[in-house]
Amino acid sequence: MNETTRPGKATLFIRVVFLASVLLALLFAATSHVSGKYRLLLLVGELSCIPYKLVVVKMTRPENIVFERGQLLAFLPYGRLTDQLNQRLLDGNGSILVVKYLAGVAGDIIKVENDAVTVAGRKFGDLDLLEKLNRAPGSYDRIQVLVDGQLAMMGTEPRSFDARYWGPINVDEVVGVVYPIW
């Protein structure tokens, strides 16, 4: 290719901008069409407790989910957050979704002993947030058997605020199945 047939930098820039605009328009159209069924979540900051930054949540009712350990699920964390965030949930905002792994189902045991947690026999690590939560060592120690309708939801990061602190959630709090993108 010689100099006369190669596109200039300005032409290349216009092409890239045009292609990006078309892709964004298609993405907007697709998400508008399925926005009631799918949500795209960007998980950033210190609150992220799983190793992914971008996920898709397939919104569905709990009765449509076959629950399996290791599955990523989204749920509404009623009563498990700060007073301000809990009020946002109660006011019907619905924008506060928590994403964690399903670690335990009915019949499984959550065991917190010497500030270390296991769920269904799998070690999830220590309780690294005791100081931040202003709690004494051993204050969360317990053995709890999950009953029907309860799920143990866990993060994989050391700073995860999860079932090791607040126990199981109710199945009816689950609002979707999560699929990691990046």
Side-chain angles (χ1 to χ4, degrees):
M1 194 181 281
N2 63 36
E3 287 294 314
T4 58
T5 60
R6 189 180 312 180
K9 288 181 182 179
T11 304
L12 186 58
F13 176 77
I14 291 170
R15 287 180 183 173
V16 169
V17 169
F18 176 76
L19 181 60
S21 299
V22 169
L23 289 174
L24 282 173
L26 289 171
L27 181 62
F28 177 77
T31 56
S32 294
H33 178 68
V34 296
S35 63
K37 191 169 183 173
Y38 295 93
R39 289 191 188 173
L40 190 63
L41 295 181
L42 183 61
L43 308 171
V44 295
E46 67 179 61
L47 297 178
S48 182
C49 63
I50 61 171
Y52 304 106
K53 300 297 179 209
L54 186 64
V55 298
V56 172
V57 180
K58 180 181 179 185
M59 305 299 286
T60 188
R61 302 180 63 80
E63 56 268 19
N64 298 328
I65 300 172
V66 177
F67 293 104
E68 298 175 11
R69 283 182 210 90
Q71 190 174 32
L72 270 174
L73 299 172
F75 60 96
L76 298 170
Y78 292 108
R80 296 183 177 83
L81 303 172
T82 64
D83 290 340
Q84 181 182 12
L85 291 175
N86 282 328
Q87 190 59 51
R88 277 181 56 195
L89 272 174
L90 293 174
D91 290 343
N93 184 308
S95 65
I96 302 171
L97 292 181
V98 173
V99 175
K100 299 206 184 287
Y101 286 98
L102 175 55
V105 296
D108 289 342
I109 297 173
I110 300 174
K111 182 178 181 182
V112 183
E113 185 175 49
N114 298 321
D115 299 323
V117 65
T118 59
V119 179
R122 179 178 173 205
K123 184 170 174 37
F124 277 89
D126 298 330
L127 278 68
D128 292 344
L129 298 177
L130 288 175
E131 186 177 325
K132 186 174 183 174
L133 296 170
N134 200 24
R135 297 292 296 264
S139 60
Y140 289 99
D141 284 7
R142 68 189 183 283
I143 295 176
Q144 182 175 8
V145 179
L146 299 175
V147 298
D148 281 340
Q150 290 183 325
L151 303 171
M153 304 301 297
M154 300 293 292
T156 58
E157 301 299 315
R159 66 189 177 280
S160 294
F161 189 59
D162 51 27
R164 70 189 88 203
Y165 300 101
W166 35 256
I169 67 166
N170 294 318
V171 169
D172 60 357
E173 294 175 63
V174 176
V175 296
V177 178
V178 178
Y179 301 95
I181 295 175
W182 173 68

